[in-house]
């Protein structure tokens, strides 16, 4: 889980290995059930209820392809998270992440092409 301790009204990312076909993450009274993505490591993002009780709680992960249920503990902190200012209280949006990934990829391709051009000998020179 990321983070382990989370404020009321905040989001938390849950990951679980071994649920190849996805699953469900639950913690009654703390957040709405969420679907775990399929894959070798599945992910789900949950939003803690504003009225969830502060303290240590348990969440459960049930894989779609198994009857086994795994549990983990997390802590809910009292109060809403700080959302003032621009300095780190919000993460990048999906669009910003995609743009950043595109820029990194383009710069890597450009650097690779530059290195290849510099390594080729000129015609007529040996």
């Amino acid at each position: 889980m990321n983070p382990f301790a989370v404020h009321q009204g905040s989001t938390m990312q849950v990951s679980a290995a071994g649920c190849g076909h996805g699953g469900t993450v639950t913690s009654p009274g703390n957040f709405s059930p969420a679907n775990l993505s399929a894959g070798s490591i599945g992910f789900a993002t949950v939003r803690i209820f504003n009225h969830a009780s502060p303290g240590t709680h348990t969440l459960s992960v049930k894989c779609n392809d198994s009857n086994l249920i795994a549990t983990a503990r997390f802590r809910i902190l009292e109060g809403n998270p700080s959302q003032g200012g621009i300095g780190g209280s919000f993460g990048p949006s999906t669009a910003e992440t995609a743009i950043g990934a595109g820029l990194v990829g383009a710069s890597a391709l450009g650097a690779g092409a530059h290195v290849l051009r510099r390594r080729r000998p000129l015609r007529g020179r040996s």
Side-chain angles (χ1 to χ4, degrees):
M1 288 167 300
N2 186 18
F4 168 78
V6 62
H7 284 91
Q8 296 163 320
S10 292
T11 58
M12 175 174 66
Q13 187 170 18
V14 179
S15 61
C19 289
H21 295 96
T24 306
V25 179
T26 58
S27 184
N30 297 313
F31 56 81
S32 297
N35 292 325
L36 193 67
S37 64
S40 59
I41 297 178
F43 295 94
T45 301
V46 298
R47 184 184 178 281
I48 306 300
F49 294 142
N50 292 339
H51 63 274
S53 299
T56 302
H57 299 275
T58 302
L59 65 80
S60 300
V61 175
K62 183 184 180 307
C63 297
N64 290 336
D65 53 0
S66 171
N67 288 328
L68 297 177
I69 297 175
T71 60
R73 298 184 62 78
F74 68 102
R75 183 176 305 130
I76 296 176
L77 304 173
E78 189 172 359
N80 289 328
S82 170
Q83 294 185 354
I86 306 283
S89 61
F90 294 101
S93 69
T94 304
E96 292 169 331
T97 302
I99 291 168
L103 290 172
V104 168
S107 66
L109 285 173
H114 176 72
V115 168
L116 287 175
R117 277 190 23 202
R118 302 279 295 165
R119 296 185 78 200
R120 276 193 236 157
L122 295 174
R123 290 186 183 177
R125 292 186 187 174
S126 296

